[in-house]
Amino acid sequence: MDTFGRQATDMRLSLTDKCNLRCTYCMPAEGMDWLARSDLMTADEIVRLVNIGVDDLQVRELRLTGGEPLVRMDLEDILSRVRAAQPTLPISLTTNAVGLDRRAAGLKAAGLTRLNVSLDSLHSETFARLTRRPFLERVLRGVDAAAEAGLGPIKINAVLLRGINDHEATDLVEWAVSKGYELRFIEQMPLDADHIWKRDNMITAQAIRDRIEERFVLTPDPRERNGAPADRWEVRRIGDPLLGPPAGVIGIIASVTEPFCADCRRTRITADGKIRSCLFSHDEVPLLNLLRTGASDAEIAQRWRDAMWMKPKAHGMDHTGLGADDYVQPDRSMSAIGG
Ligand code: SAM
């Protein structure tokens, strides 16, 4: 609970800061100064924190992320141990799907509920330009394998960059709808290590909707949003009856231009065991020292509670509308926080 009455029931836990892609809007070409191995939480520490979150702090949903969570070879072990302790907890994974084709069935067997795959382009050249790696085919194989393994409903995350992949918005919608996946466009956020983000160059939620409406009809999804970051829209092809079932559903995560801080339900833990009450925080509260010096579950839960109590009202990009210039980017970039 924080001072504004929000309750964090959705836990985002980063398993690593490392990644096998180098998306231009996230990481520099040469990679980062990775965390020392000894600073990464171990599987034991991760399982313990999840249990404290669920048993003592009313966490109701777990998302594993990174960096790229699949680069952790003990992912299946972590999952099966969390699943054994928390049989009904929804557990999802955010992944770039590289190598997922070989692991999807094992992840399902270990207790994963569902997953989100990041995919910004369906053209191999654009994909390689954006991610600096030629892995589109591997990603597509990974998504197919996840669907086959029963890890649906699958959500696809896409970030649109002006002049690079923004012309693909409607093709991505067509592809996702035809496959039965829920596509979610994420506004590019000022969280990249290279500081390439520019407010007047980003593709806004409104621009995304306008572009999609060139080929589809969008109507608000009548389901409750329930603290979800994505604003959902039903998608119909132009000419299809408006009263009939939609061809699919898309979401738009407009953290910059239509922020949803007032209903934020997230608590984040970095791969080195630090609590961030907000994705855009400048403050982090360490837990690793407590975990490694014999603190009780009650002491760890109390530090976590105290950290969440201080959650800021909003991330600060919106207080003067679109023109806020006093936002200061946090030191850690997206991959190091855990997106
Ligand atoms: N490696 C995994 C993946 O690719 O999904 C998980 C981590 S990645 C940091 C999580 C999500 O953050 C991805 O969907 C990625 O596109 C998104 N992301 C990274 N940097 C971003 C930025 N500056 N603005 C918006 N989204 C970003």
Side-chain angles (χ1 to χ4, degrees):
M1 183 74 88
D2 64 50
T3 53
F4 300 96
R6 295 166 298 189
Q7 202 169 349
T9 50
D10 174 359
M11 175 174 176
R12 302 270 166 118
L13 190 142
S14 174
L15 295 177
T16 175
D17 57 332
K18 289 197 177 138
C19 189
N20 41 10
L21 300 184
R22 294 285 180 275
C23 301
T24 52
Y25 55 81
C26 187
M27 241 198 231
E30 65 280 8
M32 318 265 291
D33 289 332
W34 310 119
L35 290 169
R37 204 185 166 86
S38 57
D39 289 336
L40 275 189
M41 286 191 293
T42 63
D44 284 348
E45 289 163 344
I46 290 167
V47 175
R48 184 170 174 208
L49 275 189
V50 174
N51 286 334
I52 293 172
V54 175
D55 298 338
D56 300 342
L57 298 172
Q58 283 85 50
V59 162
R60 292 293 167 261
E61 200 176 322
L62 173 66
R63 168 85 58 87
L64 300 174
T65 182
E68 173 47 49
L70 291 180
V71 307
R72 252 190 102 134
M73 287 305 141
D74 57 357
L75 173 59
E76 289 79 353
D77 176 46
I78 293 170
L79 268 171
S80 58
R81 290 168 60 191
V82 171
R83 177 53 74 220
Q86 306 294 347
T88 58
L89 180 71
I91 310 176
S92 57
L93 182 78
T94 302
T95 173
N96 62 33
V98 174
L100 183 62
D101 52 341
R102 282 175 278 113
R103 292 173 72 183
L107 291 169
K108 173 77 182 172
L112 184 65
T113 313
R114 45 162 298 273
L115 48 77
N116 288 13
V117 172
S118 303
L119 175 60
D120 303 322
S121 174
L122 295 166
H123 293 278
S124 33
E125 273 169 32
T126 310
F127 181 95
R129 183 173 169 206
L130 244 158
T131 62
R132 302 188 178 107
R133 297 288 184 272
F135 292 163
L136 175 63
E137 287 309 317
R138 294 174 70 181
V139 171
L140 293 176
R141 278 207 303 275
V143 186
D144 284 345
E148 255 168 56
L151 286 168
I154 289 177
K155 294 183 184 170
I156 305 288
N157 291 346
V159 177
L160 295 181
L161 301 188
R162 189 175 302 283
I164 298 181
N165 66 337
D166 55 330
H167 61 284
E168 279 193 60
T170 51
D171 288 346
L172 281 162
V173 173
E174 186 61 59
W175 173 78
V177 161
S178 70
K179 293 273 197 178
Y181 306 147
E182 182 176 321
L183 178 64
R184 294 132 44 100
F185 291 101
I186 307 177
E187 277 184 345
Q188 186 192 2
M189 294 180 261
L191 285 174
D192 57 302
D194 278 343
H195 293 244
I196 62 166
W197 182 89
K198 288 201 176 54
R199 186 179 290 274
D200 47 11
N201 199 41
M202 62 168 285
I203 311 281
T204 62
Q206 186 57 54
I208 295 169
R209 289 189 292 267
D210 290 348
R211 199 152 295 188
I212 296 170
E213 285 184 319
E214 289 166 11
R215 219 156 103 194
F216 300 93
V217 177
L218 294 180
T219 47
D221 186 325
R223 285 174 291 175
E224 275 290 313
R225 188 156 164 181
N226 262 331
D231 186 22
R232 286 159 130 167
W233 298 81
E234 291 185 343
V235 180
R236 290 178 177 78
R237 294 189 176 81
I238 290 175
D240 281 356
L242 270 182
L243 291 176
V249 171
I250 62 152
I252 302 184
I253 303 180
S255 311
V256 179
T257 64
E258 296 165 14
F260 37 88
C261 306
D263 200 18
C264 178
R265 303 182 189 179
R266 275 155 289 289
T267 180
R268 294 173 184 273
I269 310 276
T270 61
D272 53 347
K274 294 186 172 139
I275 305 163
R276 293 177 69 94
S277 61
C278 167
L279 180 57
F280 300 89
S281 292
H282 290 274
D283 302 317
E284 297 181 336
V285 175
L287 288 178
L288 205 56
N289 50 348
L290 284 187
L291 284 164
R292 292 185 181 176
T293 53
S296 66
D297 286 3
E299 286 168 312
I300 292 168
Q302 192 54 44
R303 184 173 289 183
W304 199 340
R305 248 184 231 113
D306 292 346
M308 292 310 295
W309 186 246
M310 300 311 294
K311 183 177 172 97
K313 185 175 183 190
H315 55 42
M317 273 182 288
D318 54 321
H319 37 166
T320 55
L322 262 183
D325 291 327
D326 52 348
Y327 168 78
V328 180
Q329 183 168 338
D331 291 338
R332 288 215 215 209
S333 55
M334 188 71 142
S335 61
I337 297 169

